[in-house]
Amino acid sequence: MTERQMTDIPSPGVSRTEACSLAAVRRVAAMLGLDPDAWQEGDPLPRGWQFILLGADTPRGALRGDGFPGLGVPLPDLGLPRLLIGGRSVCFVGDITIGASLRRDSRIETIQRKETARGPMALVTVAHDLCLAGTTVPVLVETQTYVLLGVAPPAAAPASDPVGSALPAGSRTVVPDDTLLFQYSALGFNSHRIHLDRAYAREVEGFPDLVVNGGLTTLLLTEHLRTAHGVSPSALKARYLAP
């Protein structure tokens, strides 16, 4: 893999007002199989649930061909039709209060083009700062890296189940079904068709089946830390290597 160029950032960042609504929080709880009434306004938002505050509001007519609603900021046409999330890092500076109003500042930090043995690709890094209303210091900073690729190769055969018969004590196995994928995508307003449209995922993108959202995988891990171990992370970093 060789780096080809660094593209100039074409547009300024975007600011949006977001509400950490109790209704959205209760729906996340319901998706996770938790009691929705366990949360009330004024409670801290569980760390990892901030995805409900980071969705894009792209009109239907402006969606990409794959249905992805965007990155929260305008993205130039790089001639690469496929998009996947490659990783994210999150710094939890403080807690977000349920019921609070926040300002979300989103910006493209870098666009990096590369040439690979399989053709051109690009890495787009987008940063989101969440600030509680009336403050200027972010309470949360999340950086997401997206991979843009060319036309897909033929669909691969489904991978064998990577979960072995012997699991460590305290492990939890989650088998995501279509309903879970739909609910997570709906709560984050993510209409990327690889998560929702099996025929598209297989026939156009070349995947053996629907793709599990990388953010959902991360959410399940932070929930396991919170519920099984009582851990509230101050930061996290995830890489998504095998869609």
Side-chain angles (χ1 to χ4, degrees):
M1 181 182 296
T2 58
E3 181 177 316
R4 189 169 76 186
Q5 70 181 66
M6 185 74 73
T7 304
D8 291 335
I9 307 306
S11 60
V14 173
S15 292
R16 286 283 189 273
T17 298
E18 301 286 351
C20 184
S21 73
L22 178 59
V25 170
R26 286 176 169 169
R27 288 170 186 143
V28 175
M31 177 189 69
L32 294 169
L34 305 173
D35 178 7
D37 294 324
W39 280 267
Q40 303 295 332
E41 287 197 358
D43 292 342
L45 180 72
R47 296 186 176 186
W49 295 25
Q50 74 277 357
F51 73 95
I52 57 176
L53 302 169
L54 299 178
D57 49 11
T58 307
R60 281 177 55 88
L63 291 174
R64 287 169 46 95
D66 56 18
F68 187 66
L71 309 174
V73 286
L75 178 66
D77 184 1
L78 303 178
L80 298 170
R82 300 174 62 217
L83 180 146
L84 295 165
I85 189 166
R88 61 164 36 88
S89 63
V90 187
C91 179
F92 299 96
V93 181
D95 284 318
I96 296 171
T97 303
I98 297 173
S101 178
L102 303 99
R103 187 184 76 252
R104 186 186 83 194
D105 297 323
S106 302
R107 62 195 177 276
I108 294 177
E109 292 200 326
T110 61
I111 301 176
Q112 188 173 9
R113 290 181 177 267
K114 295 178 179 290
E115 289 289 350
T116 75
R118 297 184 178 181
M121 65 175 289
L123 301 177
V124 179
T125 302
V126 181
H128 304 281
D129 296 342
L130 288 173
C131 299
L132 294 169
T135 69
T136 57
V137 177
V139 70
L140 182 147
V141 178
E142 177 161 336
T143 301
Q144 303 164 349
T145 299
Y146 291 86
V147 183
L148 278 75
L149 302 166
V151 177
S160 58
D161 186 353
V163 179
S165 57
L167 295 173
S171 296
R172 180 184 175 214
T173 299
V174 177
V175 181
D177 56 20
D178 291 21
T179 301
L180 180 58
L181 296 186
F182 168 79
Q183 289 181 335
Y184 179 83
S185 292
L187 285 165
F189 203 65
N190 181 356
S191 51
H192 199 315
R193 294 171 66 184
I194 59 174
H195 307 306
L196 306 170
D197 184 338
R198 183 169 277 105
Y200 176 87
R202 289 174 170 169
E203 297 167 13
V204 178
E205 295 272 2
F207 294 111
D209 209 324
L210 294 177
V211 177
V212 177
N213 312 61
L216 174 58
T217 304
T218 304
L219 173 64
L220 294 172
L221 288 167
T222 56
E223 274 301 285
H224 185 68
L225 286 175
R226 185 180 72 85
T227 58
H229 302 285
V231 172
S232 182
S234 59
L236 67 85
K237 182 176 289 187
R239 294 179 66 197
Y240 309 118
L241 302 178

